Amino acid sequence: MSPPSVYKYCFVPMCVSSTTKTPDKLFFSVPRKPELRAEWCVAVHRPPGLSCKSNCHCCEDHFNLAEDVQEYTRFLILKKNNMSSFRLSLKPGVVPHKFDCQSSWINGRRVSRRTAMKKLNLNDAPS
């Protein structure tokens, strides 16, 4: 019997990835060093002040895996051959930079969910 996996979810606001909803996705640990963690929070539009003691993760959707991950080609070869994999790590200095889930962010400002819903309702209303 395999050991129970740890539940992980993406700390990026509005991202719905988790190990239960998307079990095949890769999750990377958010750095614990305060200055790096603050840099990641700014990059993902998250308020600063995330505790350095909390275990936070960021899913693969927010990275370009081929460019941002060390030894990614090796990982793909091992995965294809069903061989035991190794722990992937990001290259130094890489921060999350892809945010398709945050389509409600406009010009660095977040559009409120209520405003977004009003726009949807207006667009869906019959003419």
Side-chain angles (χ1 to χ4, degrees):
M1 182 186 292
S2 63
S5 62
V6 176
Y7 175 74
K8 297 176 186 175
Y9 64 91
C10 186
F11 91 123
V12 175
M14 301 170 71
C15 183
V16 296
S17 296
S18 71
T19 51
T20 54
K21 291 181 183 177
T22 53
D24 293 330
K25 280 193 181 175
L26 299 171
F27 287 84
F28 298 95
S29 294
V30 176
R32 288 192 182 265
K33 288 185 179 179
E35 58 278 358
L36 292 177
R37 191 166 270 225
E39 187 178 347
W40 278 49
C41 286
V42 168
V44 303
H45 303 108
R46 189 176 175 96
L50 186 64
S51 170
C52 293
K53 295 179 181 179
S54 61
N55 291 322
C56 294
H57 300 89
C58 188
C59 76
E60 68 182 52
D61 291 348
H62 309 293
F63 300 97
N64 181 342
L65 296 178
E67 294 177 9
D68 297 341
V69 175
Q70 294 179 347
E71 299 191 61
Y72 186 64
T73 306
R74 180 178 174 205
F75 167 76
L76 291 177
I77 293 168
L78 290 173
K79 184 177 176 182
K80 183 179 179 181
N81 294 321
N82 292 325
M83 299 174 78
S84 62
S85 62
F86 56 96
R87 183 178 171 152
L88 289 175
S89 59
L90 296 169
K91 293 178 181 176
V94 171
V95 296
H97 54 91
K98 293 172 64 180
F99 303 106
D100 295 334
C101 63
Q102 293 181 345
S103 60
S104 65
W105 286 84
I106 299 173
N107 297 329
R109 284 187 34 204
R110 182 176 181 181
V111 176
S112 72
R113 187 170 277 198
R114 177 174 284 163
T115 303
M117 290 305 292
K118 282 181 184 178
K119 287 181 181 179
L120 280 175
N121 289 337
L122 289 175
N123 292 337
D124 292 341
S127 300

